[in-house]
Structure formats: C-alpha cells, structure tokens
C-alpha cells in the first residue's frame, strides 16, 4: 500500500476500534471502569444468527474485554447506548433501540479521527464510508466491533496515537519542511518553512478513562492471554514495551458485484514505548483466507515496524 492509499482507501478494521468503543461507554455513562459482563453468545429476536466472541469468555471486565477482545462486552455497550438495559440479555429478546445512539457513538469516534478528516496535507483524503442509521440494533452492535463503518489506515493511526498522547489528536503530514532552491548539488537550500506540530483537538473525556484504555492496550501485548502477547510480549519484542489492539473483520471479496470468496481483514494498531510514546502505527492486511493456523502477517508487520524504528530509523 502506497502512502496515498493509506489515506484514500477505507475498509473495516474489526476489533482494533474497541478502545474507542469502551471510551464511548465510559463517557456516555452506560458503563463504569471495572464493570463486568458475562461473555456468552447473544440471540436477538429477528436476528438470524447468534452473536458472540470467538469463544465464550465468561465474566470479563473492561481490561479483560480489551485483552481478550470480547465482542460481547462491546455489544452490551452498544445495547445500553441504544436504551436496552437488561443484563444479561435473555435469549430471543426483542430489544429496545433508540437510533439517536448512532450519532452519539460516531461523535465519540470522530474525536479520535475515526470517520473524520485527519487534516493530512493531501487534497484527496477519504473520511471512510458511514453505514445507514438503521433502526436495527444488531447493525449498531456491528459498529461497536468495527464491522460496519469503514476507516483508512491513516485514521486508525491517528486514533491510536490520540490514545497514546493522552487524548490529544495531532495533525499528520507528509511534508516536514520546505526549502529554498540551492545553487549546489551537494547541499540543500535554506529552510523556507517548517511544518510544526498542530493539535487538532483534545478528546472530551476524563483522563482517567484514557489512562485505563492505555493500560488495557498494554495488557493486550503483555498480559497472559492477551491477543498480541505471543508476538509483542515475548523475549525478543517485550523490550520495546509496545501497547496496542489486534483486529479481524469479515470482508467478502467481490468483482463486478459478484461475490467470489469470504475473506477477512487482519488489522493491528499500536504505539511504543507504552510509558513514553515515540511512535504509533496502524496495519491492515485485507482479504486474507478464513483458515485456522494462518500466517500472522499483521503481527509480523508490526514486529518489523518496531524493529525498523528502534533499531534503524530512531535518531
């Protein structure tokens, strides 16, 4: 993917967005830090399938929901934001759903750059595709797990860097500085203009909530059972002390409107070091096969990025 495609091609990132979902739950007041839900498959009346995580995870709090990547925890946040307060939700329940929840959730997401312009110095940036504000609560549950609206890699990088930056969203840019012409082929001209760091906004959320997501992202990479611990918490990569969130999204492959295959996107967002961030990254590997034991390409790319920055690029 070229630099241009990072800001022009949106897709679904799956569970990588769950940090924003949990923060939306905190700030909207539908959950509190440390709150637990029981992770088991949910069956909503009128929904043809049961919705759940990759396995029943049992009782999970917010830290566990990020560490283990619980879909059900995010579903309960979405249900509560939509006005459905029952917990646990009975099987075949007809849920209450207020469509105003769409705007509320997206407003929280946009504070991190998800669904909003990043401010990049390029004229053709995509802000992603926004799904219909359906009256069906099941689709809103999909939004909460990154399986409805689409985002670009640049938006995802801005989102995770905003979490790393204690809630400050910084404008990205391709150009570092502009120089005057030089009369020598061996020397650069004098600096005409520097492109300074610009803070676009500070998310309207309590700092304690952001700190809790930072810790949750660290547990994804370093705590037992974390979905990224085998790749970033091992002897070779724990030295970078990275934090982040893994993701998988269903993304069927079509050509000329004809479905050719059921595939998945593999994603990963992260930053390092956790306690004093210097860099952030977002990775998307679209249309991979849906098989067990497949090559963990998103994690390998993440490892390569950390190696490149800390061993090669870092001044």
């Amino acid at each position: 993917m070229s630099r241009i495609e990072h800001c022009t091609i949106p897709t679904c990132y799956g569970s990588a967005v769950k940090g924003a979902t949990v923060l939306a739950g905190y700030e909207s007041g539908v959950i509190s830090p440390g709150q637990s839900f029981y992770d088991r498959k949910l069956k909503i009346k009128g929904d043809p399938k049961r919705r759940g995580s990759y396995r029943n995870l049992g009782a999970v709090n917010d830290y566990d929901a990020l560490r283990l990547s619980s879909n059900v925890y995010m579903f309960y946040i979405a249900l509560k934001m939509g006005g459905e307060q029952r917990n646990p939700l009975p099987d075949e329940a007809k849920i209450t759903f207020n469509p105003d929840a769409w705007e509320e959730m997206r407003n929280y997401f946009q504070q991190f750059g998800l669904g909003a312009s990043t401010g990049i110095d390029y004229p053709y940036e995509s802000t992603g595709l926004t799904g219909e504000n359906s009256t069906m609560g099941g689709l809103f549950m999909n939004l909460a797990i990154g399986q409805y609206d689409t985002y670009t890699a640049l938006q995802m990088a801005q989102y995770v860097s905003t979490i790393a930056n204690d809630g400050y969203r910084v404008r990205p840019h391709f150009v570092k500085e502009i120089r005057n012409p030089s009369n020598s082929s061996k020397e650069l001209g004098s600096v005409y203009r520097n492109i300074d760091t610009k803070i676009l906004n500070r998310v309207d959320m309590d700092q304690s909530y952001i700190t809790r997501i930072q810790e949750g992202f660290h547990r994804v990479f370093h705590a037992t059972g974390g979905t990224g611990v085998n790749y970033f918490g091992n002897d070779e990569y724990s030295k970078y002390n990275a934090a982040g969130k893994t993701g998988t999204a269903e993304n069927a492959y079509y050509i000329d409107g004809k479905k050719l295959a059921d595939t998945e996107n593999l994603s990963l967002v992260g930053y390092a070091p956790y306690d004093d961030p210097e860099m952030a990254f977002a990775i998307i590997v679209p249309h991979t096969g849906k098989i067990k034991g497949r090559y963990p390409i998103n994690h390998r790319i993440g490892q390569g990025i950390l190696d490149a920055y800390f061993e090669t690029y870092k001044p």
Side-chain angles (χ1 to χ4, degrees):
M1 184 179 287
S2 71
R3 286 187 178 185
I4 303 306
E5 289 172 326
H6 286 313
C7 59
T8 60
I9 299 181
T11 190
C12 287
Y13 277 76
S15 297
V17 309
K18 287 178 178 175
T21 303
V22 175
L23 281 164
Y26 293 151
E27 191 60 31
S28 65
V30 301
I31 64 167
S32 56
Q35 184 168 347
S36 294
F37 295 106
Y38 195 84
D39 183 303
R40 64 170 181 84
K41 289 184 182 292
L42 304 180
K43 181 66 172 71
I44 297 171
K45 187 173 183 178
D47 196 327
K49 64 179 182 179
R50 288 184 176 272
R51 297 172 178 269
S53 304
Y54 51 94
R55 62 178 173 87
N56 290 348
L57 299 173
V60 292
N61 64 16
D62 47 350
Y63 282 152
D64 299 327
L66 294 172
R67 176 176 61 90
L68 301 172
S69 203
S70 168
N71 286 343
V72 175
Y73 198 96
M74 309 303 145
F75 293 158
Y76 273 113
I77 291 174
L79 288 167
K80 285 179 170 291
M81 289 183 69
E84 176 55 68
Q85 302 302 323
R86 284 175 288 180
N87 174 32
L89 187 72
D91 270 353
E92 296 293 343
K94 183 178 180 180
I95 64 171
T96 298
F97 180 66
N98 182 349
D100 290 345
W102 288 102
E103 183 176 359
E104 183 180 20
M105 180 78 86
R106 286 179 175 137
N107 283 343
Y108 288 127
F109 277 33
Q110 287 170 6
Q111 292 185 49
F112 294 91
L114 299 177
S117 171
T118 64
I120 188 71
D121 48 353
Y122 180 72
Y124 303 110
E125 178 189 12
S126 170
T127 56
L129 299 177
T130 300
E132 178 186 355
N133 288 9
S134 171
T135 57
M136 297 175 60
L139 293 178
F140 188 61
M141 293 161 70
N142 288 349
L143 175 67
I145 61 169
Q147 193 66 65
Y148 194 62
D149 289 358
T150 65
Y151 314 107
T152 65
L154 188 62
Q155 287 175 318
M156 294 299 292
Q158 188 176 65
Y159 144 72
V160 75
S161 69
T162 302
I163 291 174
N165 289 333
D166 292 331
Y168 290 93
R169 184 166 73 104
V170 176
R171 180 186 180 186
H173 52 81
F174 291 135
V175 178
K176 181 179 180 181
E177 62 187 16
I178 300 172
R179 289 179 173 265
N180 289 307
S182 172
N183 294 324
S184 171
S185 61
K186 297 181 180 180
E187 294 182 357
L188 295 173
S190 60
V191 174
Y192 171 73
R193 186 176 70 179
N194 283 311
I195 308 300
D196 297 325
T197 299
K198 180 180 179 180
I199 295 173
L200 298 175
N201 63 277
R202 204 285 183 181
V203 297
D204 188 17
M205 297 178 183
D206 191 280
Q207 178 58 42
S208 66
Y209 296 160
I210 297 171
T211 300
R212 197 164 179 90
I213 298 303
Q214 291 170 342
E215 172 61 22
F217 276 17
H218 190 258
R219 294 187 184 196
V220 171
F221 281 5
H222 297 277
T224 301
T227 54
V229 70
N230 290 338
Y231 306 97
F232 303 100
N234 56 25
D235 291 342
E236 185 176 1
Y237 285 92
S238 61
K239 62 186 178 183
Y240 297 134
N241 198 23
K245 185 70 189 74
T246 60
T248 304
E250 296 179 2
N251 187 22
Y253 186 68
Y254 290 84
I255 291 183
D256 296 330
K258 182 179 179 181
K259 181 179 175 180
L260 298 185
D262 289 318
T263 66
E264 291 180 338
N265 294 345
L266 299 181
S267 64
L268 182 70
V269 297
Y271 61 91
Y274 160 72
D275 51 357
D276 188 17
E278 297 179 18
M279 55 85 74
F281 59 86
I283 297 163
I284 183 68
V285 185
H287 297 302
T288 66
K290 296 178 67 173
I291 58 173
K292 291 184 177 180
R294 62 188 163 194
Y295 188 74
I297 184 64
N298 52 333
H299 299 299
R300 297 303 185 202
I301 294 173
Q303 290 174 333
I305 289 172
L306 291 171
D307 285 338
Y309 178 79
F310 286 103
E311 298 180 8
T312 306
Y313 174 78
K314 183 179 177 181

